[in-house]
Amino acid sequence: MTIRFDHYDPNEFLSTFIAFIIVLAGISILAWIVFYFIKNSDKTKPVITKRVKILAKLPGAHMVGWYLVECEGGERLKLRTFENHKVLFSVNDIGIIRYQGNTILSFQREITNPIR
């Protein structure tokens, strides 16, 4: 079976390419808007400060890091950070965490065994 193209219309190709670019731009803008609203959804919630232990780093997207933390009372929380490349804590760290909604604002590690 052979597929043949009897005619080649550059205008048809150009209009198809432009339509593809417009659809791609629309999807990109929609994804950016959804990300913006998810990132700002916690701004109206109260800021909470607790002493926690970082239990695990959960798999997540490239720009969002998810962490499982355990509070002093045994409560476990799933929190995220939108600055995954700037995170300065790791699994088994203990410290004071400030979060708003599900978003980690800061983490201050407790130093238990200082290096001498």
Side-chain angles (χ1 to χ4, degrees):
M1 174 185 228
T2 304
I3 299 174
R4 290 189 174 174
F5 295 101
D6 292 334
H7 68 284
Y8 173 73
D9 185 7
N11 291 332
E12 184 178 332
F13 173 76
L14 183 62
S15 62
T16 303
F17 181 73
I18 291 173
F20 175 74
I21 295 298
I22 290 172
V23 168
L24 191 62
I27 290 172
S28 299
I29 290 170
L30 183 63
W32 182 82
I33 290 171
V34 168
F35 180 78
Y36 177 79
F37 280 113
I38 288 173
K39 187 174 178 179
N40 291 322
S41 66
D42 291 336
K43 297 286 184 185
T44 59
K45 297 177 182 172
V47 176
I48 299 170
T49 303
K50 291 185 177 183
R51 184 173 185 267
V52 299
K53 178 178 181 181
I54 308 297
L55 295 179
K57 180 175 182 355
L58 305 173
H62 177 67
M63 297 176 66
V64 180
W66 286 94
Y67 293 88
L68 180 64
V69 300
E70 183 175 20
C71 302
E72 282 184 317
E75 176 188 14
R76 291 186 177 195
L77 302 170
K78 182 179 172 186
L79 301 174
R80 68 180 171 219
T81 178
F82 290 102
E83 297 178 343
N84 200 24
H85 58 284
K86 295 181 182 179
V87 171
L88 299 175
F89 54 86
S90 60
V91 176
N92 293 325
D93 280 351
I94 297 173
I96 306 298
I97 198 166
R98 286 181 56 240
Y99 64 96
Q100 189 173 21
N102 289 332
T103 305
I104 298 170
L105 300 176
S106 67
F107 181 79
Q108 183 177 5
R109 183 182 301 118
E110 292 180 0
I111 299 181
T112 55
N113 295 324
I115 299 173
R116 296 180 188 203

